[in-house]
Amino acid sequence: MPEPTIEPEPTIEIVPPPPGEPTAGDLPPPLPLFVAGTRGLCPRCGARTIYAGLITFADRCSACGLDFAQFNVGDGPAAFLTLIIGTVIVAAVVVVQVAYNPPVWLQMLIWVPITAAAVVASLRVAKGVLLIVEYRQAAREGKVRP
């Protein structure tokens, strides 16, 4: 019976940042995730530069040059928030309908803008938080080795 082989543990190589890049001593301490995501703060330098639009990421941080395109936030926050906000809104619609029996047009007049505002506001926070988590955890796209 052949003896089992023990593979050596992989080594971790610490690579210094390129010249001109800020180091950990140059950067402010990270804020709590929810605060940083709500304010749209760059995960590296803390400047308010994540968003170019209401929920659109900027290409890079104008303060420190961090490339936001390298992070893959995807549609995860949108799908998750749609389910949560949809559940809350439907429950509220049912409660209002049972309690007050308003006409359908009034229900739509009330709930469509509330739903849109809730989705956009929460999506902005969720996308910002996810980008910051990806940066802090050094998450990158997965690859399958042949």
Side-chain angles (χ1 to χ4, degrees), residues 30-82:
L31 290 171
L33 278 175
F34 184 76
V35 173
T38 302
R39 294 180 184 170
L41 304 180
C42 172
R44 181 191 286 164
C45 69
R48 290 186 179 210
T49 57
I50 286 184
Y51 295 105
L54 190 59
I55 56 174
T56 306
F57 286 125
D59 292 330
R60 61 183 53 253
C61 176
S62 58
C64 70
L66 177 64
D67 181 18
F68 297 136
Q70 68 181 328
F71 302 105
N72 182 15
V73 174
D75 295 333
F80 191 62
L81 291 170
T82 299

Side-chain angles (χ1 to χ4, degrees), residues 8-28:
E9 289 191 29
T11 58
I12 299 173
E13 181 181 344
I14 298 176
V15 180
E21 292 258 337
T23 60
D26 301 332
L27 301 175

Side-chain angles (χ1 to χ4, degrees), residues 53-127:
L54 190 59
I55 56 174
T56 306
F57 286 125
D59 292 330
R60 61 183 53 253
C61 176
S62 58
C64 70
L66 177 64
D67 181 18
F68 297 136
Q70 68 181 328
F71 302 105
N72 182 15
V73 174
D75 295 333
F80 191 62
L81 291 170
T82 299
L83 292 172
I84 293 172
I85 292 170
T87 301
V88 171
I89 295 294
V90 167
V93 168
V94 169
V95 167
V96 169
Q97 185 65 37
V98 169
Y100 303 105
N101 197 20
V104 173
W105 66 267
L106 183 58
Q107 287 275 44
M108 294 189 64
L109 187 67
I110 293 169
W111 298 111
V112 169
I114 289 174
T115 304
V119 167
V120 170
S122 60
L123 188 58
R124 181 176 170 93
V125 173
K127 285 177 70 174

